[in-house]
Amino acid sequence: MTIDNSPTAPQAPLKLDWVSVIFFSIVHALALLAPWFFSWSALGVLLFLHWLFGSIGICLGYHRLLSHRSFQVPKWLEYTIAVIGALALQGGPIFWAAGHRLHHAFTEDEDKDPYSARRGFWWSHMLWLFYPKSEFFDYDQYQRYAPDLVRDPFYRWLNRNFLWLQLPLGILLYVLGGWSFVVYGMFVRAVLLWHSTWFINSVTHMWGYRTFETNDNSRNLWWAAIFTYGEGWHNNHHAYPNVAKAGWRWWEYDVTWWAIWVLKVTGLARKVVMPPEQALSNQ
């Protein structure tokens, strides 16, 4: 991957993308139907899919596997995990990995970090999606930051078609449990998982403790780690981004690492990048 370190060109005025505003508003509004469609089984579906799409799809798949290559799995399993990530409705794998790699290359730079916390809480949390910059949202521009994924026809296809995967998911949920499952399994799940993920961009660059003196304001925040299955140990991650574990201390809860560990002990995950001994000894 080649990162452009040339001086930043003058920035064009940001324009509000009404398509994004309307899309996110509709999904949030549909999630508000939850009280009228409540059932305990629907709540169970919500919790299961939040974990499956969030921890396995986004945290383990899009983040630690595809963005950082913290470990390797057989290609069939990598593709399966990537599809689970695409079902989270957070963009295609090339878009997600490219944006995250830029975040690490230019952390908190107000122009080159897609969700720079220096622009304020709401920008890093969600406004970056409503005022899209072409270098982060135009495929012809962002694809150069994930060339390994671009070379793969499957990832190019998934990047183009991830949104359509919601149709078979919605049909399956309706067949299994009617509109209750659809409301909780799609709309409530999407909203909760969006904000859980966005917390990493916003709150963990503002509040929490710092184990490592990194060149940014990344923080470790316990409650963010709970909502994001371990991603809230963000200072650890920024200090050693290629390490497969986010929680290093025994009490730093990292559910996503547990899944990676299972893959490792069963022989499905190899070349798992662990924290360096020197860094561990300083904990």
Side-chain angles (χ1 to χ4, degrees), residues 62-181:
Y62 271 20
H63 186 206
R64 304 188 199 188
L65 177 59
L66 297 184
S67 297
H68 293 293
R69 296 297 184 182
S70 299
F71 60 99
Q72 296 179 6
V73 295
K75 190 60 71 173
W76 66 265
L77 181 56
E78 179 179 309
Y79 287 165
T80 300
I81 294 171
V83 170
I84 295 172
L87 285 165
L89 202 55
Q90 296 190 11
I94 299 174
F95 164 79
W96 206 102
H100 190 71
R101 290 173 182 180
L102 280 169
H103 169 67
H104 276 274
F106 304 107
T107 307
E108 297 172 359
D109 183 290
E110 294 188 16
D111 296 318
K112 294 184 178 182
D113 180 349
Y115 23 86
S116 172
R118 289 185 182 176
R119 285 179 172 265
F121 172 87
W122 286 110
W123 174 267
S124 58
H125 193 71
M126 61 191 300
L127 288 181
W128 68 279
L129 294 164
F130 296 159
Y131 292 90
K133 301 173 71 173
S134 61
E135 56 265 45
F136 308 140
F137 286 84
D138 183 343
Y139 177 81
D140 289 336
Q141 296 192 55
Y142 72 69
Q143 57 90 20
R144 58 185 170 148
Y145 299 109
D148 52 326
L149 302 182
V150 172
R151 286 192 293 269
D152 192 318
F154 177 78
Y155 286 125
R156 294 198 302 270
W157 177 88
L158 190 59
N159 201 68
R160 292 192 303 268
N161 296 289
F162 75 93
L163 190 59
W164 295 108
L165 297 180
Q166 297 299 307
L167 289 177
L169 173 63
I171 292 170
L172 176 62
L173 289 172
Y174 182 79
V175 169
L176 292 176
W179 289 113
S180 178
F181 275 28

Side-chain angles (χ1 to χ4, degrees), residues 147 218 270:
S218 58
R270 60 189 184 90

